[in-house]
Amino acid sequence: MERPAWAPREVDIEKASAARLYDYFLGGSYNFEVDRALGRQIEQAAPGVPQFAFLNRSYLRRAVCYLLSRGVDQFLDLGSGIPTAGNVHEIAQNINPDAKVVYVDNEPVAVAHADLLLEDNPNAVAIEADLADTGYVLGHEKTRGLLDFSRPIGLLAVAVLHFLPPGVDPLAVLAEYRRVLSAGSYLALSHLTHEVDSDQVNQITRLYAQSQNPIQPRGRGEIIALFTGFDLVEPGVVFTPVWHPESPEDVGEHPDRSGALVGVGRKA
């Protein structure tokens, strides 16, 4: 496969990545044929996956707007992915031009594209890092230079924790981030669950195993546990369209088909 001019040299273009698959499902252009080929297989096996991506993106927007309405004006976005329309800094700075955002992703394509996009934006930066390397992320000069940890921060872990390797405990990872957050900070997350169409989830899990980022769905109880140390805001952990919908029509008749459970919690 020929390497596109925009692709960093260290990028593996022979194996699909979760960030580039997500970009593909959202209709983006920063993906390779290997991503598109696997994406088509996933769409055939689980036709609801593109809808999952768009519903998840909509939840991200609603969650960021909710945090802004609660006075949060700085965000740490873990596993931010490849920048597409409706990124956190676009949502936040449209409401509060002074809002600050630090993006974290281990996909070089995501970070390279973010660097270009944010070149003239002093209030948003991107770090290439594994979110599980909490010491590196929290101690990075870009993080410390932009975020004020003495004030509330919105910690975002949207559609990313199910990609942590089997040996990495997501509760332990989140505990390290929670430890440095001041009172009044929030955690917003979404997570693929196996408490839906089990056949489709099994197919998704099987196909993602062929990528650089195998996937690990979790049950409702496990996802609720991720909010340890945070007080869940209403309506708690629910399927994606049910969290603060903008209209009853947005929920639809089968919100479980979103495939993910989401929630927002506040650190007291």
Side-chain angles (χ1 to χ4, degrees):
M1 183 184 303
E2 186 176 348
R3 181 180 298 274
W6 51 263
R9 293 186 61 81
E10 67 271 25
V11 172
D12 182 356
I13 65 173
E14 302 297 333
K15 198 169 187 179
S17 82
R20 300 194 307 263
L21 279 165
Y22 194 62
D23 179 66
Y24 165 75
F25 292 133
L26 288 171
S29 57
Y30 284 84
N31 49 74
F32 307 135
E33 178 52 35
V34 67
D35 304 302
R36 295 187 287 273
L38 184 56
R40 289 190 289 268
Q41 290 184 57
I42 293 171
E43 287 172 321
Q44 186 172 6
V49 169
Q51 182 190 32
F52 163 87
F54 281 101
L55 288 173
N56 191 68
R57 202 74 178 172
S58 179
Y59 159 73
L60 173 65
R61 177 177 52 78
R62 300 196 307 276
V64 169
C65 289
Y66 176 86
L67 299 191
L68 286 162
S69 74
R70 296 306 188 269
V72 175
D73 61 2
Q74 47 182 356
F75 300 86
L76 180 57
D77 187 1
L78 305 176
S80 51
I82 295 171
T84 56
N87 279 294
V88 173
H89 75 279
E90 292 176 325
I91 301 164
Q93 292 173 2
N94 185 54
I95 296 172
N96 180 354
D98 295 323
K100 296 175 172 58
V101 181
V102 173
Y103 293 111
V104 180
D105 206 284
N106 62 0
E107 165 59 64
V109 170
V111 177
H113 188 39
D115 284 342
L116 289 173
L117 187 69
L118 303 174
E119 196 171 21
D120 299 319
N121 190 327
N123 288 329
V125 295
I127 299 170
E128 184 178 339
D130 186 330
L131 70 89
D133 190 352
T134 56
Y136 181 79
V137 173
L138 292 170
H140 198 285
E141 60 181 7
K142 288 185 177 180
T143 307
R144 291 293 169 176
L146 198 61
L147 303 183
D148 179 359
F149 282 83
S150 70
R151 299 174 52 247
I153 287 173
L155 179 65
L156 309 176
V158 178
V160 67
L161 295 177
H162 44 238
F163 290 115
L164 288 176
V168 178
D169 180 3
L171 277 77
V173 172
L174 289 176
E176 287 300 305
Y177 287 107
R178 183 181 69 243
R179 181 178 57 82
V180 301
L181 296 178
S182 67
S185 294
Y186 286 83
L187 167 65
L189 68 81
S190 64
H191 198 297
L192 184 69
T193 179
H194 52 60
E195 295 188 6
V196 286
D197 187 325
S198 58
D199 288 339
Q200 282 208 17
V201 172
N202 289 338
Q203 292 276 29
I204 293 169
T205 303
R206 178 181 62 81
L207 289 165
Y208 265 93
Q210 302 175 30
S211 75
Q212 299 174 38
N213 312 102
I215 205 163
Q216 184 177 347
R218 291 182 168 87
R220 181 183 294 271
E222 294 174 290
I223 295 170
I224 290 174
L226 297 174
F227 287 96
T228 298
F230 295 90
D231 298 325
L232 280 165
V233 304
E234 291 295 331
V237 172
V238 293
F239 285 107
T240 313
V242 181
W243 199 87
H244 292 229
E246 293 170 331
S247 72
E249 291 75 21
D250 291 341
V251 176
E253 295 182 5
H254 303 285
D256 59 306
R257 291 181 180 171
S258 67
L261 291 168
V262 306
V264 170
R266 181 180 185 274
K267 182 177 178 180

